[in-house]
Amino acid sequence: MARVPAGEAFTEREAEDIRRALRVAEQVSGLAFSVYVGNVPGEDARSGARELHAQLPDPARSVLLTIDPGARTIEVVTGSEAVRRVDDRSCSLATMSMSSAFAGGDLAGGIAEGVRMLGDHAHSSRRR
């Protein structure tokens, strides 16, 4: 699975901003972060996001953000280890922040900010 989708969705700078946010989140948290943007497979966005999450190299330690702009859905899936440090509240806050940025037309910035928020939360939970 591509960590940042190629194509016309993002400029090179936007894609690099997302990649940087992913690297930093992984470094500070020790978890694996991935982003999927596009049509999410499956019956609904949640089940499709879970299917994609299961395909990651280390699903237990992984956090996956799926964004389907056409369907206007955002899902955050955490693995069995990741969920200990990335709780439902932090996922909801990140999702609200992303939604706000998306409504303002900033898809890449919203994704990068959501990843940063989740990475920061996982980092602070790691130190406890």
Side-chain angles (χ1 to χ4, degrees), residues 26-88:
E26 289 179 347
Q27 289 170 351
V28 301
S29 71
L31 300 174
F33 283 80
S34 296
V35 172
Y36 177 93
V37 179
N39 295 329
V40 177
E43 287 183 28
D44 58 55
R46 188 70 184 161
S47 65
R50 286 185 176 147
E51 288 174 26
L52 291 170
H53 183 266
Q55 296 172 23
L56 295 171
D58 188 1
R61 289 185 47 259
S62 295
V63 178
L64 172 66
L65 288 79
T66 64
I67 298 95
D68 186 338
R72 303 177 68 97
T73 61
I74 303 168
E75 294 290 337
V76 180
V77 181
T78 54
S80 59
E81 291 178 37
V83 72
R84 295 179 192 150
R85 298 203 328 259
V86 180
D87 59 14
D88 287 344

